Amino acid sequence: MKHLISFGLLGVLFSSGVAYAGPTSPIVERGKALYGQYCGSCHGPGGTGDGVVAESLKVKPADLTQIAARRDGAYNDREIAEIIDGRLLTKVHGGREMPVWGDYLGEGPGRANSQNKDLRTIHRIAALNAYLKSIQQPAKPAPAATP
Ligand code: HEC
């Protein structure tokens, strides 16, 4: 019985990672709420990099509607998950302007063992990925040169 439950959970995780979620699916809504809570202050309400604290940062927050456009139209869930999590990347590249979300996204009610935390982090990053995919836009034209 226990196994059935965990397989069911894996199924949900797997399908949410693979299927391209529609704009109103529950996982996108969940990701949108998490985005508002953790990301909008820097990346802006619509993801375009114009959040309230963006001004005071040394490095401008990325325009998150252009993730795919910056990569020739490809959105790689795993790559973006690693950027958001950050725990792996900072070890390799040293510091970065963006917080290491992997340290925070596992926090929440319930038993606080590391397995629960990791599972929660995976779920939340999957939801953030689903939301970010739903807001991808075609490449924006380069800003016109000022005369
Ligand atoms: C403190 C400000 C800040 C917050 C909050 C923040 N970011 Fe960022 N983010 C940045 C900055 C600055 C960059 C540019 C790269 C760098 O130097 O870290 C960035 C880059 C990114 C990138 C890389 C984009 C690309 O195309 O390579 C992704 C994805 C991203 N952020 C997602 C998120 C998500 C999801 C959240 C919320 C969980 C979040 N960010 C919260 C500042 C922030």
Side-chain angles (χ1 to χ4, degrees), residues 7-21 27 77 126 130 133:
F7 274 122
L9 189 63
L10 270 181
V12 170
L13 262 182
F14 189 65
S15 58
S16 65
V18 173
Y20 202 94
I27 189 164
D77 282 71
K133 276 193 271 192

Side-chain angles (χ1 to χ4, degrees), residues 38-39 42-43 57 59 61-62 64 70-71 84 97-99 101:
Y38 295 107
C39 327
C42 284
H43 290 285
L57 294 176
V59 181
L64 299 182
R70 274 191 289 274
R71 293 162 174 81
I84 298 171
E97 212 36 52
M98 180 150 118
W101 292 109

Side-chain angles (χ1 to χ4, degrees), residues 80-102:
I80 302 306
E82 283 177 3
I83 292 175
I84 298 171
D85 186 312
R87 286 176 294 187
L88 212 63
L89 295 180
T90 44
K91 276 188 200 132
V92 182
H93 297 297
R96 65 173 192 174
E97 212 36 52
M98 180 150 118
V100 176
W101 292 109

Side-chain angles (χ1 to χ4, degrees), residues 32-41:
K32 188 176 181 177
L34 288 166
Y35 177 88
Q37 190 181 347
Y38 295 107
C39 327
S41 55

